[in-house]
Amino acid sequence: MTTQTTTPTLVHTREALAAALAVQDVQAVPRTEGYAGTAHSARPHRRAVVMTMGALHAGHLSLVARARELADAVVVTIFVNPLQFAPTEDLARYPRDLTRDRALLSGPGLLGPDDIVFAPGPEVVYPDGDPVVRVSAGHIGDVLEGVSRPGHLDGVLTVVLKLLHLTRPGVALFGAKDAQQLAAVRRMVRDLDVPVTIEAAPIVRDDDGIALSSRNAYLSADERRRALGLSRALLARGGAEDIRATARAALAGTDVDYVALVDPVTFAEVPADFVGEALLLVAATVGTTRLIDNGLVEVGA
């Protein structure tokens, strides 16, 4: 008696990806039952993609689980994109463990043999070296993360567009924790008529409230305690100026990068007399680790 494997197909090159996608197109027929034996209704999309930089955690896996619900077949990309790291940032020390990541992706309700893990190197994604033509995030990339990390969102959008072309999904899933990135991706897809649906997934938090992030592994016990100020800052309520002040106070013990209360679409700061829903974003460095968090708040309620 043979046992069906649930291990996804691992590919590293463009040619191997194209071949795996061709097999996926033939074999990944609409599934009425998950690999864990759980019944599913018909999926609205043929293929879903989840883009990651590896060092996977429960937040990433929640995206993959949602992708399984939305599509007949799933591609997960694992690529540490050098274009989105500044020279002073942690590209070299960013955690990489493909064996661990692939094992996590093979868990119950996640990837199966019809699904693909695409783990290219920089020479595969950028075969001619740093690309001459890149995607610009425009004004969304000039504020907040764009000030602290110039060119970061341009690098994100460039690799996202390339991976969308390479994987040809009907839907792409992104976590809400990187809210500015999510907004920039949505704007790029709309402005450039990219034929894909962008699906956002809620922030996944640990039991203590901290948003899951691969960078949390860098935190000492004391640094993690201070990092809880980011999620506590999101509890601020009142008028716009009260929210900004309360959130900043909650970040005591960290090196605050920014506290911003913005329009969720344009990322323009809301005025002091604003009333309605806004996005509260915080960024701070704890020890040597830079963290971000965000949440929607009712201003002036």
Side-chain angles (χ1 to χ4, degrees):
M1 180 178 178
T2 59
T3 301
Q4 182 186 35
T5 178
T6 60
T7 303
T9 300
L10 175 65
V11 297
H12 299 283
T13 68
R14 290 169 177 248
E15 295 76 15
L17 174 63
L21 291 175
V23 172
Q24 193 178 70
D25 286 339
V26 173
Q27 294 186 350
V29 296
R31 298 182 288 208
T32 57
E33 186 175 315
Y35 291 108
T38 302
H40 290 276
S41 59
R43 277 88 164 167
H45 296 283
R46 179 68 172 149
R47 178 181 293 119
V49 66
V50 177
M51 301 180 191
T52 81
M53 294 205 301
L56 303 183
H57 51 64
H60 296 112
L61 301 184
S62 71
L63 290 172
V64 177
R66 178 59 177 156
R68 284 288 314 278
E69 296 173 352
L70 293 173
D72 301 322
V74 179
V75 179
V76 174
T77 68
I78 297 177
F79 176 60
V80 182
N81 177 33
L83 293 192
Q84 65 193 71
F85 286 80
T88 58
E89 292 183 321
D90 54 357
L91 174 61
R93 71 168 185 150
Y94 196 88
R96 297 164 172 84
D97 190 341
L98 182 58
T99 300
R100 171 188 173 276
D101 290 341
R102 193 182 182 201
L104 287 175
L105 291 169
S106 303
L110 299 175
L111 299 189
D114 292 333
D115 301 312
I116 299 168
V117 174
F118 179 43
E123 72 284 355
V124 172
V125 178
Y126 306 115
D128 298 316
D130 284 352
V132 175
V133 177
R134 307 188 186 199
V135 180
S136 170
H139 71 273
I140 293 179
D142 293 334
V143 299
L144 303 177
E145 291 298 293
V147 174
S148 301
R149 308 172 70 188
H152 166 70
L153 284 175
D154 294 351
V156 169
L157 294 186
T158 298
V159 78
V160 166
L161 186 59
K162 287 174 73 71
L163 291 173
L164 288 174
H165 286 317
L166 289 170
T167 59
R168 308 191 309 273
V171 60
L173 293 94
F174 293 86
K177 185 172 77 70
D178 294 312
Q180 191 173 356
Q181 170 183 289
L182 175 61
V185 169
R186 281 179 163 156
R187 188 59 187 254
M188 176 188 72
V189 165
R190 184 167 62 252
D191 286 354
L192 300 184
D193 295 314
V194 183
V196 66
T197 297
I198 302 301
E199 176 91 3
I203 298 173
V204 178
R205 298 184 180 277
D206 217 331
D207 292 340
D208 57 7
I210 195 169
L212 294 187
S213 169
S214 302
R215 289 188 169 89
N216 291 349
Y218 302 152
L219 299 170
S220 67
D222 175 66
E223 289 168 349
R224 185 179 177 96
R225 178 187 59 77
R226 287 186 281 140
L228 295 177
L230 277 82
S231 57
R232 291 173 183 152
L234 304 179
L235 301 176
R237 295 296 183 267
E241 295 309 308
D242 293 331
I243 289 175
R244 291 182 176 105
T246 302
R248 187 170 288 274
L251 293 171
T254 72
D255 182 6
V256 179
D257 188 346
Y258 59 75
V259 172
L261 195 61
V262 305
D263 179 285
V265 176
T266 66
F267 273 69
E269 287 275 356
V270 302
D273 59 352
F274 176 82
V275 175
E277 188 175 69
L279 187 62
L280 177 60
L281 301 105
V282 294
T285 299
V286 185
T288 60
T289 304
R290 186 177 184 274
L291 301 171
I292 61 174
D293 207 341
N294 73 84
L296 289 170
V297 296
E298 285 293 331
V299 182

